[in-house]
Amino acid sequence: MLHISEISWGRIGKLEDILNKGDEIDIRVIGWDPKKEEISLSMKRLKPDPWESVEEKMKVGDIVQGKVISIKDFGVFVEIEEGIEGLVHISDISWGYVKHPKEVVKVGDMVDARILDIDKEKKRLSLGLKQIHPDPWLSVEESYPVNSVARVRVERINPKGAIVEIEDGIEGKIPIEELSWKRVNRVSEILRRNQLVDARIIAVDPESRQIILSLKQMKENPWGQAQNLWKVGDVINGNVQRLMNFGAFIELMPDVEALLPLSELDWEPIKHPGQLLKKGQTLPVKIIEFQPEEQRIVVSRKAILPDPWFEIKNKYPLGSIHTGKVVRIVDFGAFIELEKGWDGLVHISEISDKRIASPSEVIEENQPVNVKVIKLD
């Protein structure tokens, strides 16, 4: 029996690639059991174990050439010679980010690698592909000084920003807050994968291998211009950009947005801005809060609409008497509808001259009643 493990000191794929029926081969007898009538044979032992002399043939730091024979999630196995193969860990494939080794090499490729470690006893060889080239991070501050502009390619997008390739082996990050002077909810609103963009370098840290870039700082800060144009109380036209549960974002000028809170949409209660607004609509708004240093503007729509309370004060002055309808009875009193959209409260102490435990002892819902205005706020 010539076991597959005894054919070669190297890795074996298919036996058919090495042996054919009828071949004449030289073999060494390595085992003989007359009782079981078994003879064990070896081809590889006709040659010395290559690991016995590995330290004579190569040393740490040497550059060797080999063939990629296997690719795993964690790295690449490279055969240097028959019986000697080494592992290139995924972290040693490139100075840049590598999601999977198959992005860089394929089985059968001939590659140059630097020997990082030799363990003769465990027959392990650690190799590096990236160590063939100088570490680009050693000169990154000279190549990419702060405030310089670099042409980058978007590699990956995540909720916090975008990872970009500056050059082979050097990546940078564009945080979501550096994408635009206006509010950005999703990176995909501004960037897409593999897109080429110019970005300004705003921070370089070689020790942590981190470069921070900015898209918005490629443009002049529009908030400086806004500060010279507007002040609290100004009425300007804006364009509805996004509708949210808490209000709407209104673009007042390119890259400058203001918040229109739900409470500032109308004098009547509104549950969602979509009841009154639609995306792309142009409408006048009044600035009620302006903090350019914090890039914050709050505007109001209802502030430029007639205040219905001015009419109500004239229509329902203190001491006036009116007829209304009981629309709701609660423990502490009753709500009286004076006209559509306007209710007044009659406290339980104001319902009767007598002491009562519940308003329903005297009145009932839908009943018409005469009431006197005693407070208006």
Side-chain angles (χ1 to χ4, degrees):
M1 175 63 179
L2 175 60
H3 193 270
I4 189 172
S5 63
E6 291 294 332
I7 291 177
S8 171
W9 290 107
R11 189 178 299 208
I12 299 295
K14 295 180 180 180
L15 284 176
E16 293 83 354
D17 295 337
I18 300 174
L19 300 174
N20 294 299
K21 186 177 179 181
D23 286 350
E24 291 188 2
I25 57 173
D26 293 326
I27 47 86
R28 183 182 296 279
V29 178
I30 60 173
W32 180 32
D33 190 337
K35 293 181 180 179
K36 295 183 180 179
E37 298 183 352
E38 289 181 357
I39 299 177
S40 298
L41 308 173
S42 174
M43 282 180 64
K44 75 179 186 182
R45 299 196 196 192
L46 293 171
K47 303 175 184 178
D49 183 349
W51 278 96
E52 293 299 321
S53 59
V54 67
E55 292 177 336
E56 299 172 9
K57 294 181 288 186
M58 56 189 74
K59 63 182 183 296
V60 173
D62 284 353
I63 295 177
V64 293
Q65 188 177 69
K67 182 172 72 172
V68 176
I69 56 175
S70 178
I71 297 177
K72 306 292 182 182
D73 291 343
F74 55 84
V76 175
F77 287 97
V78 177
E79 184 181 56
I80 306 302
E81 62 178 68
E82 182 183 342
I84 296 182
E85 61 182 53
L87 171 65
V88 181
H89 191 268
I90 188 171
S91 62
D92 287 311
I93 290 178
S94 170
W95 291 110
Y97 172 80
V98 177
K99 184 177 181 181
H100 194 282
K102 65 183 179 182
E103 296 176 350
V104 181
V105 295
K106 61 182 183 295
V107 172
D109 282 354
M110 297 299 296
V111 296
D112 291 328
R114 191 176 295 278
I115 298 176
L116 306 180
D117 185 56
I118 301 174
D119 191 332
K120 181 179 176 180
E121 299 301 320
K122 295 182 180 179
K123 295 186 176 183
R124 290 179 181 173
L125 192 65
S126 295
L127 304 172
L129 296 184
K130 73 181 185 182
Q131 286 82 0
I132 293 291
H133 310 285
D135 183 352
W137 283 95
L138 296 178
S139 58
V140 71
E141 287 181 299
E142 297 176 7
S143 302
Y144 301 101
V146 171
N147 208 37
S148 63
V149 176
R151 185 77 166 173
V152 301
R153 181 178 65 85
V154 179
E155 283 199 336
R156 305 183 301 283
I157 288 175
N158 59 56
K160 295 183 178 180
I163 306 299
V164 298
E165 182 186 59
I166 301 173
E167 67 171 65
D168 187 23
I170 296 183
E171 292 183 339
K173 179 171 65 175
I174 304 178
I176 191 169
E177 61 271 16
E178 290 295 330
L179 290 175
S180 174
W181 289 107
K182 66 180 181 181
R183 179 188 176 95
V184 176
N185 290 322
R186 294 184 301 276
V187 180
S188 57
E189 296 175 13
I190 308 293
L191 296 175
R192 65 182 185 277
R193 194 168 179 269
N194 291 323
Q195 181 180 355
L196 293 173
V197 294
D198 291 327
R200 189 173 300 281
I201 295 172
I202 59 175
V204 180
D205 187 348
E207 291 187 9
S208 62
R209 293 177 177 261
Q210 190 174 71
I211 295 180
I212 308 299
L213 303 98
S214 173
L215 281 186
K216 75 178 186 182
Q217 294 191 34
M218 294 293 292
K219 305 176 183 178
E220 184 180 353
N221 186 349
W223 287 88
Q225 181 183 357
Q227 189 172 14
N228 296 327
L229 287 177
W230 309 318
K231 61 183 183 300
V232 172
D234 285 353
V235 176
I236 53 179
N237 287 325
N239 187 270
V240 179
Q241 295 296 302
R242 297 184 302 283
L243 302 177
M244 316 295 286
N245 290 331
F246 54 83
F249 286 98
I250 312 297
E251 185 180 62
L252 304 181
M253 64 184 297
D255 292 336
V256 174
E257 290 183 343
L259 172 63
L260 173 56
L262 197 63
S263 60
E264 293 296 329
L265 270 169
D266 199 81
W267 292 103
E268 293 292 328
I270 299 295
K271 293 183 178 180
H272 192 276
Q275 295 175 238
L276 296 175
L277 306 178
K278 60 182 179 180
K279 187 176 179 180
Q281 176 183 351
T282 300
L283 74 160
V285 289
K286 185 175 184 178
I287 297 176
I288 59 174
E289 184 181 338
F290 190 19
Q291 299 178 26
E293 64 283 354
E294 296 181 14
Q295 298 180 11
R296 174 180 169 83
I297 301 179
V298 180
V299 295
S300 173
R301 175 180 174 270
K302 78 176 185 181
I304 57 178
L305 299 175
D307 184 350
W309 276 96
F310 286 113
E311 182 182 348
I312 291 298
K313 284 197 297 184
N314 295 328
K315 199 171 182 179
Y316 299 95
L318 292 179
S320 61
I321 297 174
H322 306 272
T323 300
K325 182 176 70 174
V326 179
V327 290
R328 186 157 57 101
I329 295 176
V330 293
D331 292 339
F332 54 84
F335 287 94
I336 313 299
E337 183 183 64
L338 300 175
E339 60 181 82
K340 187 176 181 181
W342 292 99
D343 297 343
L345 171 66
V346 179
H347 193 268
I348 188 172
S349 62
E350 296 292 334
I351 289 179
S352 174
D353 291 334
K354 299 178 181 179
R355 184 181 182 87
I356 57 176
S358 172
S360 57
E361 295 178 18
V362 179
I363 57 177
E364 59 185 22
E365 289 189 4
N366 295 319
Q367 175 185 343
V369 291
N370 290 326
V371 289
K372 183 177 183 178
V373 178
I374 60 173
K375 184 179 180 182
L376 181 68
D377 187 349

